[in-house]
Amino acid sequence: PPPRSLGCSPFLALISSTLLTQGQNCPSSCLCPDHHTVDCTGKGLTHVPDSIPLDVRRLLLSNNWIPWIPSDFLVLYSDLVYLDLRNNSLSLLEPGTLSTSSRLVFLDLGSNNLTEIPSGTFGESRSLIKLRLGNNPHLTMMGKDAFIGLTSLRELELERNGFTELDVSVLEPLPSLRKLRLEGNPWLCNCHFAKLFVWLTENRHKLPTGMEGIECSLPLNGRRIPLSLLSEDSFRECRGTLTLTDYLIVIFSGISVSVAAIMASFFLASTVHCFQRFSKGSKGDDDDGSD
Ligand SMILES: *[C@@H]1O[C@H](CO)[C@@H](O)[C@H](O)[C@H]1NC(C)=O
Ligand SMILES: *[C@@H]1O[C@H](CO)[C@@H](O)[C@H](O)[C@H]1NC(C)=O
């Protein structure tokens, strides 16, 4: 594991020891079954409780109405290993909130109302092994580098969100990924889906539901079919579609060809012209000679 930031540790250690001398405090209405666990499951909370012990390792906050996590949350609770925020009212993660932790192993943000996972959200979460983001029905946007830095991540849940497409480069920087859930999204099997389809085919052993458990809508009639009925050949028309770069290449090669053609005809024309002059000249000499 990466070293903890040395700047903060003495400060936090001081605060923790101060709190410890005051005795183990448990937020009111929560349970603290052991020294490192705070369980506030289903307590009707509308914000993260105050007075959580700073050395908490397991924090259970599921089935509440929490709409927001303070952006310094994981800086404060830097020993947190297990954070369960399932079934709350989170709609936005402030930038930096989750990118600072270096110890979190399990994070559940499923069944909330998140709409976007911006690039760099999990920046330094190198210990994270399981990340649950499923059942956020309005989650449709994913930054290209949303999962960058999650080098230990083994399980990623993105099922039953609002995705119609996903840039495959979002999944590429996950070297430890073993299990990926993508089922229950309104995937569209159009040309944007082609690259993801190829990736899924190559990584089908990581899908607990297999290719048959993931469905996409056909572009023509909207009928939903399992991915197992498609093949790379189904997307062969997409190879014909040109990207902007392709268009630029075509335009510029067109221009270069025209320039080359103009230069060639100019060269040919002048050669012919010289040749004509030359033959005319020699003919003239001949004529002169004969006169
Ligand atoms: C989500 O939390 C609410 C509020 O506590 C609860 O009534 C509901 O049963 C929970 N849903 C699930 C699926 O656990
Ligand atoms: C969830 O987010 C969507 C889109 O931002 C919004 O329209 C909806 O009202 C939200 N739902 C809840 C329960 O907050």
Side-chain angles (χ1 to χ4, degrees):
R4 295 176 60 195
S5 91
L6 293 170
C8 279
S9 300
F11 175 66
L12 288 176
L14 184 66
I15 298 176
S16 332
S17 60
T18 314
L19 283 172
L20 279 176
T21 51
Q22 290 169 352
Q24 170 80 21
N25 50 351
C26 191
S28 55
S29 84
C30 300
L31 303 169
C32 298
D34 61 64
H35 187 70
H36 294 296
T37 305
V38 174
D39 181 358
C40 310
T41 306
K43 301 293 181 194
L45 300 176
T46 52
H47 58 88
V48 176
D50 315 317
S51 70
I52 298 172
L54 286 169
D55 59 350
V56 64
R57 292 193 194 156
R58 274 166 59 89
L59 182 53
L60 313 178
L61 293 169
S62 61
N63 299 357
N64 284 295
W65 308 104
I66 298 168
W68 174 74
I69 326 172
S71 59
D72 60 352
F73 189 72
L74 289 178
V75 177
L76 201 57
Y77 302 107
S78 59
D79 286 340
L80 258 186
V81 169
Y82 188 105
L83 177 56
D84 186 355
L85 279 159
R86 194 169 190 82
N87 190 20
N88 274 281
S89 313
L90 299 171
S91 57
L92 181 82
L93 298 170
E94 277 184 46
T97 306
L98 297 170
S99 62
T100 48
S101 167
S102 57
R103 298 199 164 186
L104 213 53
V105 167
F106 175 95
L107 177 60
D108 194 341
L109 297 170
S111 299
N112 275 279
N113 201 20
L114 298 172
T115 56
E116 182 182 3
I117 307 293
S119 284
T121 297
F122 304 100
E124 296 294 315
S125 304
R126 297 212 178 93
S127 311
L128 201 60
I129 289 179
K130 182 160 182 169
L131 176 58
R132 308 184 76 179
L133 289 167
N135 292 290
N136 282 277
H138 298 278
L139 183 51
T140 54
M141 285 178 290
M142 184 74 84
K144 231 182 159 119
D145 296 327
F147 298 135
I148 208 116
L150 293 177
T151 47
S152 306
L153 194 71
R154 283 172 161 266
E155 294 186 31
L156 175 59
E157 296 187 357
L158 293 170
E159 81 283 7
R160 283 183 282 282
N161 292 323
F163 295 112
T164 53
E165 60 181 66
L166 186 65
D167 193 327
V168 75
S169 57
V170 166
L171 302 171
E172 277 163 351
L174 295 172
S176 311
L177 194 66
R178 299 282 176 279
K179 193 171 153 189
L180 173 66
R181 295 187 61 179
L182 292 176
E183 72 276 11
N185 281 281
W187 301 114
L188 287 177
C189 26
N190 55 18
C191 288
H192 291 295
F193 197 75
K195 276 189 183 167
L196 182 62
F197 182 81
V198 173
W199 190 92
L200 290 175
T201 308
E202 287 163 2
N203 292 273
R204 58 173 78 211
H205 54 282
K206 296 178 182 167
L207 307 169
T209 61
M211 295 291 264
E212 52 284 350
I214 303 176
E215 291 184 333
C216 65
S217 312
L218 296 174
L220 285 180
N221 54 13
R223 195 161 66 89
R224 293 184 68 77
I225 56 162
L227 296 190
S228 51
L229 293 185
L230 297 172
S231 67
E232 282 183 38
D233 235 21
S234 318
F235 295 93
R236 84 178 157 261
E237 283 173 25
C238 300
R239 280 177 226 142
T241 45
L242 298 179
T243 64
L244 183 62
T245 329
D246 296 332
Y247 279 120
L248 289 177
I249 289 170
V250 169
I251 289 167
F252 277 107
S253 54
I255 290 173
S256 350
V257 167
S258 325
V259 169
I262 290 167
M263 281 170 66
S265 24
F266 186 75
F267 176 73
L268 275 176
S270 30
T271 314
V272 169
H273 186 68
C274 287
F275 189 73
Q276 278 177 343
R277 273 178 63 143
F278 175 73
S279 48
K280 212 176 179 178
S282 45
K283 211 174 171 189
D285 285 349
D286 281 358
D287 286 348
D288 287 348
S290 69
D291 276 348

